Amino acid sequence: MVILGAGPAGLVLGSLLHAGGVDCVVLERSSREHVQTRARAGFLAAHTVRVLDRHGLADGLRRRGQPHGVCEFRTEDGSFHLDYGCLGHGELHTVYPQQDLVSDLVERFLDAGGRIRFDTEAVAVLDADGTRPSVTVREGDGRPDRWHGRYVAGCDGRHGAARRALPPGTVRHRRDHGVSWLGLLAEAPPSLDAVGYAVHRRGFAGHMPRSAEVTRYYLECERGSSAAAWSEERIWEELAVRMRAAEHGPLRTGRIVQRGVVDLESDVLEPLRHGSLFLVGDAASLISPSAAKGANLAVLEAELLARALLDDLRRGDPEPLARYSARCLAHIWRAQEFSLWMIELLHGAPGSGAETLFRDALRRSRLESLRTSRTHQDWFAANYVGV
Ligand code: APR
């Protein structure tokens, strides 16, 4: 079995297959150091933690992850908290930086005797429609090589080799949400005891605790703007205005150690299987970060695929593999729908015409319903923590 990519998807899949006695190799373009230090998402859904627990992969996050179950909305009409851990299905997030999860998974996989080839870029997936697919690679020193397997799992993200190998009939559903965020990592303790969502006429601002010393912030920015154009002073000023620090208390500032602009877009490929090639995680579907679903979907899909592959390879039952695509797509579309709902909740409409006024009034009505209706809150909680 050849697995492309050592992100959450590839590493969970590799660990589960290796534990099930399947010979597999993970091919990763970047260095080990790079994948273990790349700051990405950090909110793990209860289901994700259960999957990792079930397979003995949750020691680190059990020790160092922080349970989290409250979010706060700040708007022109005031602020309110949602104790979502006590609503819906009563489930919590675990805050655990993705690079720590990836480090734990790499270590566990290698300790168990798994093989990861770092600095090895998959160039092309060949013969995916047959039973002996192969992957051509470029090693770190530029040497070409080729790996064969019964199956190939594309866990190599949106720009990987798996997507390039898809036949012309593959459908790509795509949506550009027309919104961009400046994502920031600050060496500063969280300013709120909650995830904070601020809706402001200057744009959205978000506050996501990562640890006692580190906080992630987001600022909605103009499409095409450069992260470098924002001075630290301007960042903290703008965050204070949009988070309404004058009303709710000052932000705890610190050095900005990472920054980047992300355009919010989503896509879903269909189907997720082409002969012997399977798509998992970001390779299967890109999801906007508005509801922190990306890594959680990746883990859910990796477990589904691992089980189905074990059924096929160990028990000779190909049925679960045949259902892999449809089962994942049901979860993916649910997550996409909720992420879009969050985007519409958090962003004012651009401009000042009649349509802007209409959309802003809808957004306020949605927030008011979320503030006052227990039914709406339960729905929110179930979707917010669930995958
Ligand atoms: N060959 C080998 N490796 C590749 C190639 C390639 N051609 N292209 C990309 N990769 C590697 C990347 O370097 C990366 O380590 O594939 C890995 C993909 O990992 P992630 O991007 O973390 O994707 P995934 O495992 O699907 O996790 C999904 O985590 O933080 C979130 O935003 C992220 O939503 C995403 C989620």
Side-chain angles (χ1 to χ4, degrees), residues 3-11 27-30 34-35 38-42 98 102 120-123 154-162 164 280-287 293-299 301:
I3 299 171
L4 313 183
L11 291 166
L27 307 176
E28 167 57 51
R29 178 179 60 186
S30 305
H34 181 76
V35 299
R38 189 173 42 184
R40 313 277 293 276
Q98 189 168 312
V102 165
T120 300
E121 180 176 12
V123 177
C155 307
D156 51 349
R158 65 186 299 199
H159 299 300
R164 291 196 299 273
V280 193
D282 272 13
S285 169
L286 185 68
I287 189 158
K293 298 289 185 204
N296 294 299
L297 280 174
V299 171
E301 293 157 21

Side-chain angles (χ1 to χ4, degrees), residues 106-119:
V106 166
E107 209 166 297
R108 283 302 298 264
F109 186 61
L110 295 176
D111 282 354
R115 274 185 299 168
I116 308 178
R117 301 293 296 249
F118 290 103
D119 301 301

